[in-house]
Amino acid sequence: MPGLLRGVARTAVVAGTATAVSNRVSRRQAGRWAQQDYEQEQQQYAQPQYAQPQAPPPPPASQTAPADEMTGKIEQLKQLADLKAQGVLTDAEFEDQKRRLLA
């Protein structure tokens, strides 16, 4: 019986040591994986801020339409003034076209 008891005790010691080592390795790996997950999440949150700057929201359509219309009228007035300066339009023709444009 002493030989059997000695064998059982030796097996228990080896199994206990193996379990302790296995648990330590598992905890270490879990810690590394958690650290990697944390770093990946930090990179994902940091990248969009630098990759794409936030664009300001577009102004309401009602405000942009008159501005675009006014810009177009100003450009047409400048063209008319250039034509008048070149002598293509007379003063009367320029005034007539300006009145039509601004009406």
Side-chain angles (χ1 to χ4, degrees), residues 2 11-12 20 23 26 28 33 37 43 48-49 51 54 57 67-68 78 81-82 84-85 91-92 95 97 99 103:
T11 302
N23 287 341
S26 294
R28 181 188 285 167
W33 292 336
D37 289 344
Q43 289 175 353
Q49 293 175 0
Q54 295 291 335
D68 290 340
K78 286 181 181 178
D82 288 342
K84 180 184 171 196
D91 287 340
E95 292 299 324
Q97 291 296 326
R99 218 176 306 112

Side-chain angles (χ1 to χ4, degrees), residues 2-16:
L4 181 62
L5 194 57
R6 208 178 282 151
V8 170
R10 186 178 301 144
T11 302
V13 168
V14 170

Side-chain angles (χ1 to χ4, degrees), residues 3-92:
L4 181 62
L5 194 57
R6 208 178 282 151
V8 170
R10 186 178 301 144
T11 302
V13 168
V14 170
T17 303
T19 301
V21 170
S22 174
N23 287 341
R24 181 171 180 239
V25 169
S26 294
R27 281 193 306 269
R28 181 188 285 167
Q29 285 178 341
R32 286 181 183 169
W33 292 336
Q35 180 67 26
Q36 287 175 352
D37 289 344
Y38 175 76
E39 290 172 359
Q40 287 176 352
E41 287 176 6
Q42 292 301 319
Q43 289 175 353
Q44 287 175 351
Y45 289 124
Q47 286 177 351
Q49 293 175 0
Y50 298 111
Q52 296 178 343
Q54 295 291 335
S62 62
Q63 291 179 358
T64 57
D68 290 340
E69 185 178 321
M70 186 58 71
T71 304
K73 288 182 179 183
I74 291 172
E75 289 300 318
Q76 288 178 349
L77 281 173
K78 286 181 181 178
Q79 290 174 351
L80 288 174
D82 288 342
L83 290 174
K84 180 184 171 196
Q86 294 171 2
V88 176
L89 293 177
T90 63
D91 287 340

